[in-house]
């Protein structure tokens, strides 16, 4: 297990280095090092690294960690392997709240991440409530998420049509992009995501107990209602803060937890940190490929994630076990 985690850390370091070095204008490791330690601060390479690529790389790491950890939490709380911030509409709820905040303020402000969190939380609670009022099957949760997500996406488009001066590119926002990120926009999300990750790691044992079923968890002394609600809040903080600066990135919270379960098992003490590390690598790789494959033009990272995520989602939805389709 330690070797696998060490490999993930090494992979993340390599991805971070590649994220700073690669792009439409490739930079050598020596040039990057000079830029980072402050040599030639006025050079074009230094400006490129410190104001464009470094914030973007940090944003990729935060987005991947936040969405992957949120996916693990939602799948555990809802007992549904298909749940993720994207598939059940949490991202859309955060996105709708972001558009409302931009409509009210006219520009990006410190209120945007808070609005994204509230939008994600309300949407999560609505989906959770709808699933329990009907039944807790996979199909119910996913269909409820699709319905709510469609409604919220219509609201996002309506707001943009009503106020064309909103300072967000709707196309890249709906797809998800890490382009144009600055350290100023990452300050609050970075603190919130880091705090939520640390709290979720601390609750890993409770997540394991919750996975045994509500009755067994209560018999072991776990306050199921309180723990579930805290976890829902944490997942909302993680996904909402990511949406506030990266838009509606999809499928990270679905793909990464499943890969990590195959590699590290279901123990949340390892699954959560490993998913966070792999999620950061996944977003970084997609962002780098989007910059390099069509240079000097750029393909938003969300497009590549959707190209990978849609077939993966269909595979999970229709996969067979023992020759028989898994009941939805």
């Amino acid at each position: 297990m330690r070797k696998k985690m060490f490999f993930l850390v090494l992979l993340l370091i390599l991805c971070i280095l590649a994220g700073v070095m690669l792009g439409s204008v490739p930079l050598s490791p020596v040039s990057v090092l000079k830029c980072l330690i402050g040599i030639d601060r006025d050079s074009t390479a230094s400006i490129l690294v410190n104001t464009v690529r470094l914030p973007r790389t940090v944003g990729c790491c935060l987005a991947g960690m936040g969405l992957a950890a949120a996916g693990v939490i939602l799948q555990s709380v809802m007992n549904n392997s298909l749940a993720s911030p994207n598939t059940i509409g949490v991202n859309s709820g955060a996105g709708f709240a972001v558009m409302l905040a931009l409509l009210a303020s006219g520009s990006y402000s410190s209120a945007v991440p808070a609005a994204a969190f509230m939008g994600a939380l309300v949407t999560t609670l609505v989906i959770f409530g709808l699933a329990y009022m009907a039944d807790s099957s996979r199909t119910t949760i996913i269909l409820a998420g699709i319905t709510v997500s469609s409604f919220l996406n219509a609201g996002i488009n309506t707001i943009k049509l009503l106020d064309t001066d909103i300072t967000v590119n709707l196309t890249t926002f709906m797809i998800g992009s890490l382009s144009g990120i600055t350290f100023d926009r990452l300050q609050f999300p970075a603190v919130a995501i880091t705090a939520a990750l640390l709290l979720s790691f601390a609750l890993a044992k409770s997540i394991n107990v919750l996975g045994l079923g509500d009755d067994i968890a209560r018999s072991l002394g776990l306050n199921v209602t309180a723990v579930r609600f805290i976890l829902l809040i944490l997942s909302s903080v993680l996904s909402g803060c990511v949406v506030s600066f990266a838009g509606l990135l999809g499928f990270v919270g679905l793909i990464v937890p499943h890969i990590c379960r195959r590699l590290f098992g279901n123990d949340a003490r390892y699954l959560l940190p490993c998913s966070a590390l792999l999620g950061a690598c996944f977003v970084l790789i997609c962002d780098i490929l989007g910059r390099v494959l069509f240079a000097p033009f750029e393909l938003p990272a969300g497009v590549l994630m959707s190209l990978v995520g849609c077939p993966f989602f269909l595979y999970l939805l229709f996969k067979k076990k023992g020759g028989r389709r898994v009941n939805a």
Side-chain angles (χ1 to χ4, degrees):
M1 186 65 70
R2 290 182 178 178
K3 290 182 179 180
K4 292 180 180 179
M5 292 188 71
F6 175 77
F7 174 77
L8 275 181
V9 173
L10 181 61
L11 177 63
L12 178 57
I13 293 172
L14 293 175
C15 288
I16 291 173
L17 292 174
V20 178
M21 291 170 52
L22 300 178
S24 57
V25 180
L27 299 174
S28 67
V30 176
S31 297
V32 172
L33 182 61
K34 289 181 178 180
C35 295
L36 293 177
I37 62 178
I39 299 177
D40 297 331
R41 292 183 179 180
D42 296 328
S43 66
T44 303
S46 180
I47 295 172
L48 178 64
V49 169
N50 292 306
T51 63
V52 179
R53 291 191 182 172
L54 196 57
R56 186 167 182 164
T57 300
V58 173
C60 288
C61 292
L62 291 172
M65 290 180 176
L67 292 175
V72 173
I73 293 171
L74 288 173
Q75 289 168 14
S76 301
V77 170
M78 295 189 172
N79 193 25
N80 188 323
S81 60
L82 298 177
S84 74
N86 174 255
T87 57
I88 69 170
V90 177
N91 278 1
S92 296
F96 180 68
V98 167
M99 294 300 289
L100 285 177
L102 291 173
L103 180 64
S105 62
S107 61
Y108 190 93
S109 66
S110 58
V112 171
F117 157 66
M118 289 304 301
L121 178 60
V122 171
T123 306
T124 304
L125 294 176
V126 168
I127 299 299
F128 196 68
L130 289 174
Y132 269 81
M133 282 191 295
D135 57 76
S136 57
S137 69
R138 294 179 179 180
T139 303
T140 301
I141 295 176
I142 298 304
L143 290 179
I146 292 172
T147 303
V148 173
S149 180
S150 299
F151 176 79
L152 293 170
N153 286 337
I156 292 173
N157 284 282
T158 302
I159 292 173
K160 183 61 178 176
L161 287 173
L162 291 175
D163 188 352
T164 56
D165 294 329
I166 290 179
T167 56
V168 64
N169 187 317
L170 185 61
T171 302
T172 56
F173 180 79
M174 296 293 288
I175 296 172
S177 173
L178 285 304
S179 178
I181 292 177
T182 63
F183 280 127
D184 289 338
R185 292 183 63 179
L186 289 176
Q187 287 180 358
F188 180 83
V191 174
I193 290 172
T194 302
L197 283 172
L198 293 176
L199 286 173
S200 64
F201 296 162
L203 290 172
K205 290 184 179 180
S206 297
I207 294 175
N208 288 335
V209 175
L210 194 63
L212 300 175
D214 289 2
D215 294 335
I216 296 178
R218 289 191 182 95
S219 68
L220 293 174
L222 185 71
N223 189 332
V224 173
T225 303
V227 170
R228 181 173 280 127
F229 185 69
I230 292 171
L231 289 172
L232 288 176
I233 290 177
L234 291 177
S235 68
S236 300
V237 170
L238 292 167
S239 54
C241 286
V242 172
V243 170
S244 71
F245 67 83
L248 307 184
L249 291 174
F251 296 106
V252 182
L254 178 69
I255 297 174
V256 173
H258 278 278
I259 295 175
C260 285
R261 281 193 177 91
R262 293 286 185 95
L263 295 174
F264 303 100
N266 292 315
D267 190 340
R269 293 175 299 175
Y270 302 106
L271 182 61
L272 273 169
C274 291
S275 294
L277 291 172
L278 186 60
C281 295
F282 179 67
V283 175
L284 275 167
I285 290 171
C286 290
D287 186 59
I288 293 168
L289 290 176
R291 281 185 273 163
V292 172
L293 291 178
F294 302 96
F297 302 102
E298 183 175 311
L299 190 68
V303 174
L304 292 173
M305 292 178 192
S306 296
L307 290 174
V308 175
C310 288
F312 190 86
F313 178 74
L314 291 175
Y315 164 73
L316 293 176
L317 193 61
F318 295 111
K319 73 176 181 178
K320 296 183 178 182
K321 187 175 181 180
R324 298 173 62 185
R325 181 176 296 174
V326 177
N327 291 330

